[in-house]
Amino acid sequence: MNVKITRNAAKVIQQELDKEENKELKLRVLITHSHGDHAHYGLDLDQPGDNDVVVQTDKDIDVIVAKDQPLLDGVKIDYLYGEKEGFIIVNPSKGNHGDH
């Protein structure tokens, strides 16, 4: 499994992970819904379970993903500033370049 986090996203995520109430948690990328070969993604803070794998990223943020979800392999997490500030999660390796 492979997960990419941009510098902008890493800064925002790390601020959440550094909060005292989140010290024992990791970032989870999940599929909120899927149809065919396309998925929509979400983020949460969680602890890994038996059906999960923890992926290390180059931003020193460990990410939890479900082992049995191939649409999670290759996700990219970005954070955009501006009028529509927030996270954007896509999977270019699966042909998913954003919500439609």
Side-chain angles (χ1 to χ4, degrees):
M1 290 281 201
N2 183 29
V3 176
K4 171 83 172 137
I5 301 175
T6 66
R7 187 179 329 164
N8 283 349
K11 286 178 13 183
V12 175
I13 292 165
Q14 195 60 59
Q15 288 174 344
E16 278 301 309
L17 291 172
D18 287 344
K19 291 180 179 177
E20 189 62 37
E21 64 269 22
N22 298 331
K23 290 285 187 189
E24 302 298 318
L25 302 176
K26 296 186 184 310
L27 180 69
R28 176 182 292 278
V29 179
L30 53 108
I31 295 175
T32 57
H33 67 278
S34 64
H35 40 95
D37 61 353
H38 179 83
H40 296 260
Y41 302 96
L43 299 174
D44 199 1
L45 296 179
D46 201 359
Q47 293 184 351
D50 293 338
N51 295 323
D52 297 322
V53 63
V54 177
V55 178
Q56 295 179 336
T57 68
D58 65 344
K59 300 296 187 278
D60 293 326
I61 295 174
D62 292 339
V63 179
I64 304 168
V65 294
K67 291 181 202 176
D68 61 349
Q69 292 289 341
L71 291 174
L72 291 172
D73 188 18
V75 295
K76 177 182 174 187
I77 304 166
D78 196 2
Y79 191 89
L80 301 179
Y81 294 95
E83 189 175 315
K84 289 189 173 187
E85 185 171 320
F87 288 101
I88 302 293
I89 308 163
V90 297
N91 193 335
S93 71
K94 305 292 187 209
N96 180 324
H97 298 283
D99 288 342
H100 52 85

